[in-house]
Amino acid sequence: MVSRRRQRRLASIAALIVSLSVPGVAFAQVAAAPRTVELTLTAAPARLSLLPGKLTDVYAFNGQVPGPTLEFREGDHVVIHFHNDLPEATTIHWHGLHIPARSDGSPLNAVPPGGSYDYVFTLLPGSAGTYWYHPHPDRRTGYQIAKGLYGALIVRAADDPLAGIPERVLLLSDNRFRPDGEVDFPSPESPQAEIDEENGREGDVQFVTGRIMPTLSIRSGEVQRWRIINASAARVYRLALEGYELLYVGTDGGLFERPVGVKEIVLANSERAEVLVRATGAPGSRAVLRALPYDRYAPQTRPADWSVPRDLLTLQYTDEPPVTPVALPDRLRDVPALDTAQATVRRTIVFSQGLIDGRKMDMHRVDQRARLGATEIWQIENVVGMDHPFHLHGFQFQVLDRNGVPEPFRAWSDGINVPKHGRVRIIVRFDDYPGKWMYHCHILDHEDEGMMGILQVTPTRR
Ligand SMILES: [Cu+2]
């Protein structure tokens, strides 16, 4: 019999192997038994090459930008020993995970410089999906992510209907640099600072999992599963692989019930998409994944080049002869509908420029109070002329409709874009984990300026 101590040691070795995996390459390693996974993450300054021929002062998780891709399984009990070796307070927010509030890494649980914190949670059945992790300290989230603190997190299911299909992680991020290679933040009061405050900070250098315009290799006939994460501060991606239909199979909280064939996908800030790419081209050919123009802007600050498509990566076919494509399932899993008849509370949340319900974030105020176990319908209204993406911490929700148009298929989400002068309705059940939870705009500059509120979920007194 393996001792508990030895089990933990083995788990921590397994986690170390996982944490050293090359970002952008996913390793499937699925077994049935629940396990404890223990790993260490350290945030610290580093000097790395992000641009060819230049060195940049960054903030890095375990010395890497982006941070290591973390892989877990449903049922895992996860213990992450976090050390903050930055010169400022920080947290790690496990974006999209349904876990206890003390481990959410919200601004309420800042880890001071030199401090440590253990994030402890269990990944529940049904939680398989693509997530990411990033800092979430008060007012400094945009700065710390721009300095390099972000990484992908994958939760796998033992009964994944797409198991065995080769995977790629595409962590989309853009940044701006000074001529000397340092990350470019505008000086306060400058015109650029004003534009950033309005639009959110965008950059002219586009990264896919830390690389500029990478080449992914594919064999004719092959099917690949791409897990795409929008880790940009403000840029929204309208993704298309020219000449291809993508099979859209999942979003923030995992797989849909069925694959959906699409020509393009709009991925707002913090959102994830899982797609299957079918290599229908000839050996030796190539295709380009592009971000097509998407007008999320107010006219007065819309960038001059907003309508220029941006190339993200090259898909290069090998010269090998085609393989027979694998058979793809018609059905992926059940996504049971949350029942609108069970909703006991309806709320309206109003987004205006930089404000939620007319006010800025106050760490000492509770803006919404909900009962544990309640099912609620939230309408998020955007009353201004630019898009604001809504994110709720801790709970996956289902989108009911956008501008009154019913959502075409059911999915679990933790973020949803609220278009200019638009509204969305979501349904959510606060089934577990009482505590204080953030909801906010995920344009990082807006969030840092206070476009955030606090939801307190409280157990019902008996
Ligand atoms: Cu916003």
Side-chain angles (χ1 to χ4, degrees):
M1 209 179 126
V2 183
S3 73
R4 208 173 153 74
R5 199 190 155 116
R6 181 160 160 72
Q7 270 179 350
R8 280 187 32 195
R9 190 172 144 69
L10 288 172
S12 101
I13 291 168
L16 184 67
I17 292 166
V18 167
S19 71
L20 292 178
S21 69
V22 180
V25 181
F27 298 98
Q29 32 173 290
V30 176
R35 54 177 192 168
T36 293
V37 178
E38 218 173 330
L39 61 96
T40 299
L41 278 179
T42 301
R47 201 156 162 76
L48 298 177
S49 179
L50 304 183
L51 303 173
K54 306 246 177 185
L55 285 172
T56 304
D57 284 321
V58 299
Y59 285 175
F61 283 123
N62 291 6
Q64 300 178 35
V65 173
T69 296
L70 306 180
E71 297 193 32
F72 304 109
R73 301 196 297 250
E74 287 182 355
D76 279 353
H77 182 63
V78 178
V79 181
I80 295 164
H81 304 291
F82 173 57
H83 302 297
N84 177 12
D85 286 346
L86 301 173
E88 59 179 295
T90 191
T91 74
I92 308 183
H93 172 53
W94 312 95
H95 188 113
L97 292 184
H98 182 44
I99 57 179
R102 73 164 293 280
S103 288
D104 182 52
S106 87
L108 299 172
N109 292 97
V111 183
S116 295
Y117 193 80
D118 283 352
Y119 294 98
V120 180
F121 48 85
T122 297
L123 296 165
L124 300 176
S127 66
T130 306
Y131 303 89
W132 61 302
Y133 61 99
H134 61 78
H136 207 310
D138 187 35
R139 295 162 204 268
R140 294 287 282 175
T141 298
Y143 178 83
Q144 294 187 4
I145 294 178
K147 288 286 277 183
L149 295 175
Y150 63 99
L153 190 159
I154 295 167
V155 181
R156 298 186 180 281
D159 57 354
D160 182 352
L162 304 175
I165 294 177
E167 296 189 12
R168 303 285 182 268
V169 175
L170 312 185
L171 196 44
L172 305 180
S173 165
D174 60 308
N175 213 336
R176 204 156 68 210
F177 295 89
R178 301 193 320 222
D180 64 0
E182 299 302 342
V183 180
D184 182 8
F185 297 100
S187 54
E189 317 300 332
S190 66
Q192 187 60 53
E194 273 179 45
I195 292 171
D196 286 1
E197 193 176 323
E198 184 80 3
N199 288 352
R201 183 175 175 275
E202 291 187 328
D204 56 336
V205 182
Q206 179 65 51
F207 294 98
V208 179
T209 320
R211 292 154 70 203
I212 299 169
M213 194 60 192
T215 297
L216 297 190
S217 165
I218 200 164
R219 182 172 178 179
S220 184
E222 187 186 346
V223 178
Q224 290 184 358
R225 178 187 197 170
W226 289 2
R227 296 175 182 266
I228 311 172
I229 302 166
N230 182 352
S232 279
R235 193 174 290 288
V236 171
Y237 297 89
R238 186 177 142 222
L239 299 167
L241 187 61
E242 202 175 16
Y244 287 75
E245 183 195 59
L246 299 169
L247 275 187
Y248 194 12
V249 292
T251 181
D252 299 347
L255 297 174
F256 302 142
E257 294 199 310
R258 291 178 188 79
V260 184
V262 295
K263 287 286 186 198
E264 52 184 64
I265 292 172
V266 174
L267 204 60
N269 315 95
S270 87
E271 288 185 315
R272 286 84 69 201
E274 288 189 46
V275 299
L276 299 181
V277 177
R278 292 164 295 178
T280 49
S285 64
R286 56 171 57 191
V288 174
L289 180 71
R290 287 206 172 84
L292 302 177
Y294 178 77
D295 184 11
R296 66 182 186 83
Y297 308 96
Q300 62 273 22
T301 50
R302 186 186 289 131
D305 65 349
W306 79 273
S307 60
V308 179
R310 299 159 66 85
D311 292 353
L312 300 178
L313 65 84
T314 304
L315 185 63
Q316 175 67 54
Y317 282 71
T318 66
D319 293 325
E320 301 160 286
V323 287
T324 307
V326 293
L328 297 175
D330 299 331
R331 201 167 167 79
L332 299 169
R333 66 164 179 171
D334 288 335
V335 180
L338 291 179
D339 184 1
T340 53
Q342 299 289 317
T344 50
V345 177
R346 284 162 197 264
R347 298 174 201 266
T348 299
I349 307 284
V350 177
F351 276 9
S352 54
Q353 202 63 7
L355 304 173
I356 297 180
D357 294 324
R359 47 195 191 185
K360 285 190 183 292
M361 161 85 163
D362 180 342
M363 299 258 274
H364 305 291
R365 186 182 68 218
V366 169
D367 299 278
Q368 311 289 339
R369 294 177 191 276
R371 287 288 173 202
L372 196 65
T375 299
E376 300 197 358
I377 292 174
W378 289 25
Q379 172 157 301
I380 302 115
E381 293 179 5
N382 180 357
V383 298
V384 296
M386 75 171 288
D387 293 13
H388 293 281
F390 170 85
H391 170 51
L392 174 65
H393 283 218
F395 301 91
Q396 291 282 322
F397 54 76
Q398 293 176 354
V399 177
L400 294 172
D401 43 52
R402 307 188 199 207
N403 288 337
V405 179
E407 199 69 349
F409 45 87
R410 261 198 309 281
W412 291 111
S413 297
D414 51 70
I416 177 76
N417 190 44
V418 191
K420 43 183 90 166
H421 297 295
R423 64 186 196 280
V424 300
R425 286 195 318 142
I426 64 169
I427 184 167
V428 59
R429 201 163 84 81
F430 301 117
D431 60 342
D432 203 348
Y433 304 138
K436 289 180 180 174
W437 299 97
M438 306 292 133
Y439 58 95
H440 58 88
C441 173
H442 217 285
I443 293 176
L444 301 182
D445 307 75
H446 296 181
E447 168 185 341
D448 283 337
E449 283 293 312
M451 198 172 170
M452 180 149 57
I454 295 177
L455 159 74
Q456 180 155 27
V457 177
T458 313
T460 311
R461 257 176 278 143
R462 291 180 188 277

